[in-house]
Amino acid sequence: MTDMDNYPFNNAVSMAHMLLLPYVPQAGVLIDMTCGNGHDTAFLASLMNKDAMLYAFDIQACAIKATQNILAKQNICTEHIIFCQGSHDDLVSHVDRPIDIVLFNLGYLPSGDHGIHTKSEITIKAIKICLNKIAKNGIIMIAAYPGTDSGAREEQAVCKFLEQLPQKEFHSSSWRPVNQIHYPPLLYIVQKRG
Ligand SMILES: C[S@@+](CC[C@H](N)C(=O)[O-])C[C@H]1O[C@@H](n2cnc3c(N)ncnc32)[C@H](O)[C@@H]1O
């Protein structure tokens, strides 16, 4: 397997990782808003600067545990990672430094209780808080899953909200597959202008 196999252009999450590659090593504060099974946290932690701080949030205790397990398995040092269980809208409001990178991977834990999923209202609230705390040139990535009714409502709400961000303050864009069957995940990208 080459490095290129790790980054196929077919998936919102791998697109997010690819786009973040040059930014992660330069970031001082990073947040995984939904750490789930830990893949995104592991991606950020494996590339971040040794002096950076990474927060891993999830509403479920089992997700925090799964994330800690994957990091241990990959021998990733957790000294600069803060794990917090709770709702990300609440947790992010306590971060008191400008944030360089925020990653939302919405929806539910594939291997867990599908009834526990991100919800439009809370997601928008959390995004708003992040927009107020994001550093200049900082980036917010949001992978959204329109394949379920609630996921579709959430994706629409996120899209509608991000469409009206002031162009003078933020670059707001999206990426979506155009030849995939069903309802593939989409990626939204916001960057605070410098
Ligand atoms: C698609 S999974 C995340 C996948 C994960 N990033 C990974 O790499 O494996 C979505 C996660 O969002 C979490 N979640 C749902 N609502 C949340 C909330 N209000 N605050 C924080 N996490 C939440 C779920 O518990 C679930 O683990």
Side-chain angles (χ1 to χ4, degrees):
M1 194 191 240
T2 67
D3 265 2
M4 279 193 267
D5 294 317
N6 289 325
Y7 297 108
F9 279 45
N10 68 344
N11 173 293
V13 176
S14 63
M15 287 303 295
H17 289 193
M18 269 190 278
L19 292 169
L20 286 174
L21 275 174
Y23 293 92
V24 176
Q26 300 178 47
V29 178
L30 309 91
I31 306 184
D32 183 349
M33 297 290 277
T34 54
C35 64
N37 283 323
H39 301 290
D40 296 317
T41 301
F43 164 76
L44 296 171
S46 64
L47 291 172
M48 76 184 196
N49 188 288
K50 64 176 177 32
D51 299 320
M53 188 57 77
L54 169 61
Y55 295 86
F57 297 158
D58 204 285
I59 202 157
Q60 300 187 69
C62 65
I64 300 290
K65 191 78 211 136
T67 299
Q68 289 168 333
N69 287 344
I70 197 176
L71 294 170
K73 232 185 198 166
Q74 295 184 17
N75 286 318
I76 295 173
C77 166
T78 54
E79 195 188 338
H80 292 273
I81 306 179
I82 298 176
F83 301 93
C84 303
Q85 186 199 344
S87 191
H88 43 217
D89 55 318
D90 176 37
L91 298 173
V92 74
S93 63
H94 299 291
V95 175
D96 57 7
R97 288 168 57 194
I99 307 163
D100 299 294
I101 290 178
V102 178
L103 185 49
F104 286 85
N105 192 342
L106 301 177
Y108 53 77
L109 253 184
S111 55
D113 179 349
H114 291 195
I116 304 174
H117 54 78
T118 53
K119 298 191 174 72
S120 311
E121 224 174 275
I122 293 170
T123 301
I124 300 293
K125 186 177 168 204
I127 294 171
K128 282 183 183 167
I129 298 169
C130 291
L131 289 171
N132 281 322
K133 290 178 180 269
I134 198 82
K136 280 186 180 169
N137 298 314
I139 298 167
I140 302 172
M141 294 273 176
I142 304 156
Y145 295 77
T148 62
D149 287 348
S150 70
R153 278 196 299 278
E154 183 177 40
E155 186 274 315
Q156 279 305 304
V158 167
C159 180
K160 205 167 154 205
F161 176 70
L162 298 183
E163 276 173 357
Q164 51 76 51
L165 290 182
Q167 192 181 347
K168 283 191 173 162
E169 283 181 65
F170 299 101
H171 300 301
S172 185
S173 62
S174 66
W175 173 88
R176 72 183 176 100
V178 291
N179 71 339
Q180 286 186 26
I181 57 166
H182 305 310
Y183 300 95
L186 314 179
L187 179 67
Y188 290 94
I189 306 142
V190 179
Q191 184 176 37
K192 170 107 169 166
R193 295 181 66 162

